[in-house]
Every structure is written in C-alpha cells, then in structure tokens.
Amino acid sequence: MKGRAIKLREAHKAGSPAFCSVAWAPGGQHVVTASAAEVAILIHDAAAVSAAGGGGRSSGSAAAAALTTIRLHKEGVTAVALAPGPGGSLASCSIDHSVKFYSFPDGTFQSNVARFTLPIRSLAFNKKGTLLAAAGDDDGIKLIATIDNTISKVLKGHKGSVTGLAFDPLNDYLASVDSFGTVMFWDLCLGSEARTLKRVAPTFGSDHSVKNALCWSPDGQTLAVPGLRNNVVMYDRDTGEEVFMLKGEHEQPVCSLCWSPNGRYLATAGLDRQVLVWDVKSRQDIERHKFDEKICSLAWKPEDNAIVLIDVMGKFGIWESVVPSTMKSPTEGAPDLNKTRAPLFDDDDEEEKPSTSAGWEDEADESLGDSAAFNHKRLRRKATFDDLNGESEDVDMIHETESRKRMKDRHKDNKEGAKKAIDDSATSGKLVTARMQAAFQPGSTPSHPGKRNFLAYNMLGSITTIENEGHSHVEVDFHDTGRGPRVPSMSDYFGFTMAALNESGSVFANPCKGDNNMSTLMYRPFGSWAGNSEWSMRFEGEEVKSVALGAGWVAAVTSSNFLRIFTEGGLQMHIISVSGPVVTAAGHGDQLAIVTHASDCLPSGDQVLDVKVFNISEGAQSMSGRLVLTPSSQLSWFGFSETGLLSSYDSKGILRVFSSQFGGSWLPVFSSTKARKSEDESHWVVGLDANNIFCIICKSPESCPQAMPKPVLTILELSFPLASSDLGANSLENEFMIKKLHLSQIQKKIEEVALLGLDTTAFEDEAFNTEAALDRCILRLISTCCNGDKLVRATELAKLLTLEKSMKGALTLVTRLKLPILQEKFSSLLEERMLNDARVGPVCSNATSTNYPPAFHPTQPAKIVQNGNNSEVSPMATPNPFARRSSAAVSKKAEVEQPNDVKDNNAKVSPVVTPLAKIPKKNDNSEGKAKRERDGIADQVGSKTKSSEDGNQAEPQRPLNPFAKSSSSKEQSSSLLDSIKKMKVESEKADKASVKKVKV
C-alpha cells in the first residue's frame, strides 16, 4: 500500500545518528522532543507543527519555534516521559546519570529525582502518574514515588542495559526489556520478578541510536515486543506465552512501536527506515511510509488519528490521518478499564479479536489435566484466528472471560491487602511494593508442573514430591546413606505442600483446596515398636500454614492463628493462640520457634515480624522479641544451627544468629553479597554449625535449587560483615569474633548445665580448647598490630588473653620485636593477671566464671596455709554454683599454665602465684628470704607473722606486688628484665631442657 509523503523538520542538531525521543502531552496539545546528542528539551505547540504541513521547510527550525526550551542537563537527554492527567509533570533522564522533574507545559524545574552511577536509557509513568520507573546501564530499575521523589523499590534481574519500560494499564505489572533482548514481567504487588522471557527481542550491540522497546495494549491484556525475525510478537499478560505475531513486511528488526487509543491498530518503526501501521485483527499493514533516516521513536496521539515521530538525526513531524477514513477510527471503542470486561474491539464487529489466552502455568494446585484443557483452548483460539468466521467473536469472548477469571483467581490470595496498598499508593504517591509475607516452610521450593520440588531440605536429608495423575509421589532421602534402611516412598493423595524432617520422622501438611477439601496434617515415624504408628489430623474451617518437628513432639500453626502441639504418637497436648499470622516455624530438640506478623508492613515496605521460642518439655516460653531483617527484605530461611542457635536468613542475603550478648541480640554472621563470586550468584541456605554455613549456590534467574539432579551442597565459613580495617587483617579479625561468639555460647551452656546439677566436664574441656584457640588468634593479631605500628590496639588485644601462658608469650613477642613501651604495658598486665588469679584460686576457671575481661575477674580473699613442709594457697570458701570444673580439666589447664620450676617443687601453690622463684623450705628461711629480697620479691607472709617453724597458720595477707615499682623508673625496668632472665635460667636448670619458643 503506497503511503503519503511526510516531511520532517529539524528539532535537534546531530552530527551523527543519536537516539531521539518524542512524546505527546495529555490532551494532545503539546509535543515534547529530546535528543541524546544535545542537552535541550523542546516543548512544541502541536497545532503549529500540524499547520506547518508536517514540518515544511518554509516554517523554519522547529527548535526556534518551540514554546519552551529546557537546558538543565549536562549531557544528552536519552528519554522523556509525561505524567498522565491534567497538570502532570515532565520527567527527563540523561547520560549525565540524573532524572529531573519539571512543571508542564511551562517547563519550570522542580527537582532532581534520582541519580544513577551510569547513563539512564528509559523512563515510564504508571497510569495514575504516582510512580515513575527509571532504568539504564545501572544494575536495577528504580521505582520513584512522585509525591515526595523517594525511591520506593529497586528491581534487579536484568544482565544488560534496560532500554524499554512499560507499566501495565491495570497497574499489576511493569514490563522491561534489555539490550540482550530479555523481557521481564515485574509484579508490582510483590515487588519481585513474575516471569522472564529470555532473548526474545533483537540486540543492537553498541548502536545507541536505536534501542529495544515494548508497549502494552490499551486494555492491558497483551504486551507487544519486537521479535527476532523482523516481526512483532504479542505476549499474554497472565502466562507470558506468545499469542500471535505480526510479520512479513519489515526487512530489518523493529526498534519502536505504539498502539492506537483503542488497541485496534499498531504502528511499528524498523531499521529499514519504514513505519508501518498494522490492523491487528487482520494482521496486515494498512499504511506505510519510508523515511530518509531510521525512525527511533513514535507515539500515537491521544484520542486522535495522528502519530508523532522523530528520526535519529533529530527531525520530527506529525503524520496526520494515519488510518484511512474508510476504516474504523483508531479512537472508537477505546477500552474503559473501570469496567469488569474491557473488550479489545467492539461487540458489533463480526471479526475475531486477538485477546489473550490461557496458559500452562496457572495456579500451582491445578492438575495436569486442567493444564491440558487450557492448552486445547489455546489451539482452538489459534484456529479461530485463522478461520475468522462469524462465530469467532463469541468463542473468543468466552476465552477472554476465562482469562480474566484466571487472572482474578491468581490474585485472589493477595487482592484484599494488595488492592488497598495500590489504592493507598495512588493517594500517597508511595508504592507499597511489599505486602505481608506469606507463610512458607524452611527448605521448601516452589512447585512446577511436571517437575520434582523440595518439600523440605535440611542438614539431615530432603523430602521431594512430583505431581502425577491424580496424586503425587513423595520420597525421603538422607544425606548419609549409611544411617539405616531407606524410607519407603509414599503416594500422596492430599496434595502436600509443606513438610519437616528430623531423626525420628517426618510431618506433612496441605492447605485447603476448595470448599470440600480440608487441610490435613500427617506424621510418619521412621521406626516404631508399634505396627500402626502413622497418624493424621484434619482441620475444619482452618488450614495448616507451617509445621515443625522436635524431640517427641509435632507442631502445626494454622490460619486461625492457633499453635497446635501433638505428641509423637498423635496426642493433642497444647493449643496456643499466637499474636498474628504465621510466617514460618522451626524445631530443635525441646525448642520450638515460630515467626508471626506483628503488624502490617511499614510505609517503606519493611516486614514487621515477631519471634517466640517455646520449651515444649517445660511448657515455658524462653524468648520473645522482634525478628530483625534487612530493610526492604523478607524472611527466606529460619531455623536452628547444629549447636542450637536460633538463626534467620533474609532475601538481602544476611544470615543472623541470636545471642544472649547485650541482653539478647541478633548478630550478622554471613553476607551473601560479600561471599558470592559473581553478580548472578545467590545462596540458598540449608543450615549452619559453629563455624560454617551450608548452602546451595544458585545462578540467576533461579533463586532456589532444582530437586533433580540432586544439588551440590557448598560449605562456606561464617564471616561477620566487617568494615575494611586499616590493619589489613580482616580474616584474623573475623576469626577472633567468631571464636568469641563460640566461647560465649559454651559458657552459657555450662551455666545452664551447672544449674541443673549435671556434669559439665565435656563442655569445660571444649571451653578450654576454645580459649586456647582464641588466644592463638589474639597473639597473631598482636603480631600484626606490632608490625603495623598499632600499639594501642595491641594493648587492648593483650587484655583479652585468657591463659597466663599466652600473656607470657605476648610479652616475649614484644621483647623480641624490641618494643619497650609495649613491653612495660604487657608486664603491668601480667602483674595484674597474676594478682587476680592468686585471689581467684586454682579451682575457678574462666570457662566457668562470669564472662569478664581476663584482667578484671572478680577477686576473692586468699589465705596461705602452712602444713608441714608444704605450703598451700587456697581461696576463701565462697559458694559458686558454676565452679564445677572436674579435676581432669583443672589439671589439664594447670599443666599448660604451670612453670616447670614450680611443678618440680613439693609446694602446692597455684601456678600463677610465684612464677619467678621457687617456694623455699622451712630450714632455708633466712637464705630464701635474702634471695627473694635480691630478686625484688617481698615475703608473702609479712614481717608481723611468726616464722614457719612454729607450724601455726598465718593470718590472711594480701600478696605483695612481685613487680613493685622503685623510685626510679629506670631501675624498675632493669629489675623487671633481670627477673625475667632469672626465671628463664631457673626453669632451664629445673627441667634440664631448653624452653620451647613461642610460635606466633
């Protein structure tokens, strides 16, 4: 069909092809143009442009005739967008990484909206103008609330530069396309990806003069996307499936398109410099025009039969009377989105209309038979498109109604809350992208028809299910295949969607499906002395939302906010009301933890969640508080570590554990962002122990693993999100914090076990080993601080050393490094340590005492008892319920800490009392006293006590300072060094062996 001549006039000067954009203002009275080759934004009078005959050259430059010129960007303008409705604002984005708002049509600057780190390529307003989407070369699409210019959400998922954005007219979805040809549907209610169509659009490489674009039909049922074969493909809004295509006329790929107001016609521009106008019903072009340059942007005039277009050289014009008068007007029968049914074409038309179709992936609980029926409808619809008979419209109208019904069913669960959120966002200008998080089961994955998925996955094993004809096939597998006989598979006729697994058995549950289907809870033990040990419960008027297992109990939380606790045999023990809708639950031994909603989401979209921990055997609540999440995130995994620590993992990739420190705090011990090796990696958490996190690495766009083939478990070290230290020893600092956390957990466990009157030997040994490992880490940090000239930090670390042997090692270290200032500081710390340990006594260990810094242990008065030829220092009798270290543990620690010269002596003195000299015998009193005076050590008994020959017990005396300062600091330093040297010589003589050097 031969087109009419259309002349373009210059609006923007460009020495080379550059992307130019054009847009109609609401009402069609103005046209806005911009070019990536210059900073100017022009607002034109549409009537003047039309009167110029489509841009006749006699009318002069369009830039000179423009009503308003805006020059506020520092670099070229890549896109413009106008908010719908009267009095709307104008938005622009640029290569200079900024988005700006202006009043319209006067073009007065209002504000800078957002800044990116890379050029921005596309903008789009939603139908009400309350939300602006902006994207480009940056990682993420920013959703901006126009009322206060705040960023409501950042949508991440594209791998290439985002070149096209379009809001669904029904305000359910945002569609986006990138330079790699990938199209993504974003659910605005959830603020997350709904579906992805990979590489369905053409790629233009480094040519920025054209870009991928997409556009929703006016009724919101179809998304038009340029195809890979110089065609245009229509995709269904509900399923993302291809409905039909327009093909055969463009010789090169399509780069821009727009719908007529009623959706009956579609205009497309291609790299072949042609613009075609298609009759979508007949799928034939009805008008075409070839231009001198590529048309990079075009827009259909609201409520009129005209198109404005602009080429890559900055020339634009208006194509009047696009649709011939012999055909139906492009504005007639425009859809009213406020009605329940919005037909794409008029009912009185006898032809078939290309509405959307049913899809394979509807609700998760639909059977394969239903899906097959929908597919049959798809085939029938395609047949009616080809037949175009008189009955096709009635058939298609039925299909359209079915499609809308399925869409309504799809959103049935979230409409009440999400509709209110959307309405509120329209009035407040903020997008509430996050609604109250739905209940989920830790370790489960979404179901996909025809594919196996996980009902549960933990450190013990997994439970998988796959849908079959009329039922599902459930299998239980253990990671350790040698733990016992294989658990038989199960045929599931209930449609279980959640499960939990422990060493004793497994529990299953399903939600309600329809009015006549009740939610069922089933427990299957792995072994029992009774024959019929499996049991089930059914619930009327409520459905199970989450399940958990523990030591001899089964728990289920229901939609009625009831926590139901059963015994392993099925006895109903407790029914407790919880404070809000449940999010998830987890069990470990006697501990049951549940997470519930504390309130609606905050205006920022943050979840407000509470967590409670119950001790089932004691019938007590051991913890209650707020669950901490990263801003704008949701809970992804929840459970207990192997050591019984309550843990949570959110969608931002932060793993936290609950600690009793600071009165009960959530400590971040892992960051997925720092641990991942590439941007497309994510971590699906399975569990954790004291030092490691066990997870499955998933590659984008997958956020959870596939059940088949069996995923590979990855072990990563726990790592606090530390700041980049000037010391350059982040790994050591992280090890230090992890071991501190581990030690505090062991100490807390010792206190709990000691209060119960049980043996704490095993825990005390573990605490001692952890103390030694922590000291080794601290010594390495001290060495690093000394090398980095961080002497104050080294002193702070020395105060944290637990064992006296470690303190002496630190002193030896700084002596070798020739740091006299640190040497004096460490000597003072050692002196104070010896005094405190002498007061505390040899029985009380740091592992069983209150967790004070080592240099500040609470002291007890000590007394020196002389019994025959042996001397003994013992603490005053003070009740201590936690001082229960066994003799083996005490002797182990004493052996590590006690100097060799003291071990060879018959005196039973605490190894930390006299590290530099032997305890003299009675008949050597005068000689020993003189010797101690030469060494600067005063008599521990004191001058007022009687001689040891009387055999009487001495009065309690405070041990004198073995490193008492003299009047001269110089003399003090010399005396200290002499004492250390003497200690070394005497130790060598007593042991007849060389002292092992401290390895750092």
Side-chain angles (χ1 to χ4, degrees), residues 2 30 59 81 96 178 205 226 263 364 420 485 566 626 631 649 656 663 730 757 761:
K2 186 177 180 180
H30 300 89
S59 300
D96 65 9
D178 61 27
K420 182 179 184 299
F566 308 84
R626 186 61 49 84
Y649 183 74
R656 295 176 176 86
N730 279 22
T761 303

Side-chain angles (χ1 to χ4, degrees), residues 886-906:
S886 66
S887 59
V890 175
S891 61
K892 181 179 178 182
K893 182 169 183 178
E895 183 179 353
V896 173
E897 295 186 344
Q898 185 176 8
N900 294 325
D901 59 340
V902 179
K903 288 195 292 183
D904 291 343
N905 204 318
N906 292 327

